[in-house]
Amino acid sequence: MKKNKIRLAVVIIALLLVTLLAGCKGAGTTITSGPKGITFEFKELKKDVKDEATAKFTFDDGILTVELESGTANVEICSTTEPDEDLPDSYMELDTLYEAEGLKNGDEIEVNGVRGNVVMRVWGDGKNGKVKISPKK
């Protein structure tokens, strides 16, 4: 009987942690990242929650594009060290490559020197949109 109570307590704590971690990401945000870019697709950005993605880019110059139904987006892109293979979030930030606040629908910005490991953060008050960086053609 005592073992069952302990198991139940462990399950409840695990569910609470999963719920807490799920709440750390913006409402309805889907992030895709890889060597050819990062895309944030969202229903609503939060001003006080930064969605974050890491990638190792294989291109030097990128185009940051913003598609928003309404509102604005803020973006920060930083170069990082190579993360430990056992701990993907164990990178250290080196330099800020790009930083902007108040980006609007239709904005396209060239971002240079992004080859290598990067972290990209997006936040703001935008609704129903996409913010992405991809190789410059």
Side-chain angles (χ1 to χ4, degrees), residues 66-85:
V66 180
E67 299 172 22
L68 297 172
E69 190 174 286
S70 67
T72 62
N74 307 319
V75 174
E76 178 181 46
I77 303 171
C78 300
S79 63
T80 68
T81 60
E82 182 87 29
D84 184 290
E85 63 184 54

Side-chain angles (χ1 to χ4, degrees), residues 4 6 8 11 18-19 29 37 43-44 55 61 66 72 76 81 85 110:
N4 287 339
I6 292 172
L8 180 61
V11 168
V18 167
T19 303
T29 301
K43 294 183 190 290
E44 179 181 2
D61 301 320
V66 180
T72 62
E76 178 181 46
T81 60
E85 63 184 54
E110 185 174 332

Side-chain angles (χ1 to χ4, degrees), residues 42-47 66-74 101-107 123-131:
F42 49 85
K43 294 183 190 290
E44 179 181 2
L45 291 176
K46 301 284 187 181
K47 286 185 180 183
V66 180
E67 299 172 22
L68 297 172
E69 190 174 286
S70 67
T72 62
N74 307 319
E101 292 187 5
L103 297 172
K104 295 181 176 84
N105 182 49
D107 285 349
W123 70 102
D125 64 355
K127 306 271 194 265
N128 294 328
K130 186 186 304 187
V131 174

Side-chain angles (χ1 to χ4, degrees), residues 30-108:
T30 302
I31 302 171
T32 308
S33 67
K36 297 210 177 197
I38 298 175
T39 302
F40 293 80
E41 290 188 58
F42 49 85
K43 294 183 190 290
E44 179 181 2
L45 291 176
K46 301 284 187 181
K47 286 185 180 183
D48 57 346
V49 177
K50 293 182 179 182
D51 289 326
E52 179 176 294
T54 58
K56 185 171 186 174
F57 288 161
T58 57
F59 54 93
D60 289 313
D61 301 320
I63 297 292
L64 178 75
T65 57
V66 180
E67 299 172 22
L68 297 172
E69 190 174 286
S70 67
T72 62
N74 307 319
V75 174
E76 178 181 46
I77 303 171
C78 300
S79 63
T80 68
T81 60
E82 182 87 29
D84 184 290
E85 63 184 54
D86 296 330
L87 301 167
D89 292 333
S90 64
Y91 61 84
M92 183 171 63
E93 289 184 31
L94 300 174
D95 294 318
T96 301
L97 302 172
Y98 179 76
E99 192 171 25
E101 292 187 5
L103 297 172
K104 295 181 176 84
N105 182 49
D107 285 349
E108 284 193 0

